[in-house]
Amino acid sequence: MKKLFLIVLLIPILGYSQSRKSTIDSCVTIAHKLVNEHRVKNGVSPLILSDTLTKLAQARAEYMYKTGEYNHDGMPTSCSAENISDGRDFKYSFTLSHAVAQDVYVYSKSPGHNKNMLRSWYTMCGYGFYKGYTVQLFDYSL
């Protein structure tokens, strides 16, 4: 029975053939859609996905993973707010889309993180994902 259980869990992993960049792009697309749905549901305008903020968020997620520095001290100065996660709450996610959805959901239940997602003066955002670390960056355009 153990062998069958392992085989079932490995099938999605073994069948997953997307490149790293397209995987990250998929996560960004899902996160952006879910954050905007959350904003609209709460009466706030949707955010514009910023390539610059997404590149900064991606670099930040990779940096946190590689250095173990999990804090807001390294938040890029070119953004106004940051939500970060190290993925410890998502160890039971079996697909990337589920992990991203769970990430946005957990942020929405945290008063500080939710406030960042719903501030009406933010107009753009970016997302980064790396080996369980996630970063959301928010800013406004002048």
Side-chain angles (χ1 to χ4, degrees):
M1 192 64 165
K2 272 188 176 180
K3 287 182 184 178
L4 178 60
F5 181 72
L6 289 174
I7 291 169
V8 171
L9 287 179
L10 289 176
I11 288 172
I13 296 168
L14 295 174
Y16 197 76
S17 61
Q18 287 185 312
S19 71
R20 179 176 173 262
K21 180 173 177 0
S22 66
T23 300
I24 292 169
D25 290 347
S26 295
C27 290
V28 168
T29 300
I30 293 165
H32 185 62
K33 177 183 180 288
L34 293 172
V35 168
N36 275 340
E37 286 175 358
H38 180 62
R39 285 176 63 89
V40 168
K41 186 173 99 177
N42 285 278
V44 185
S45 299
L47 297 166
I48 297 166
L49 183 61
S50 162
D51 287 339
T52 301
L53 289 178
T54 296
K55 287 176 185 170
L56 288 170
Q58 184 62 37
R60 179 89 169 104
E62 291 178 23
Y63 175 82
M64 286 191 305
Y65 172 80
K66 291 173 183 173
T67 65
E69 292 183 27
Y70 178 67
N71 56 51
H72 293 286
D73 293 344
M75 183 175 90
T77 56
S78 59
C79 66
S80 300
E82 172 187 64
N83 287 342
I84 60 174
S85 169
D86 66 358
R88 284 184 287 203
D89 297 331
F90 315 120
K91 61 185 170 195
Y92 299 111
S93 297
F94 295 106
T95 66
L96 285 173
S97 60
H98 182 257
V100 173
Q102 192 174 11
D103 198 42
V104 172
Y105 175 78
V106 169
Y107 284 146
S108 74
K109 297 303 176 194
S110 163
H113 294 104
N114 193 49
K115 193 180 289 186
N116 285 341
M117 288 194 301
L118 295 179
R119 284 199 169 112
S120 61
W121 58 84
Y122 293 148
T123 58
M124 49 188 185
C125 60
Y127 308 93
F129 301 91
Y130 192 75
K131 297 188 179 184
Y133 284 79
T134 64
V135 176
Q136 295 179 337
L137 296 178
F138 303 93
D139 206 357
Y140 53 91
S141 51
L142 300 175

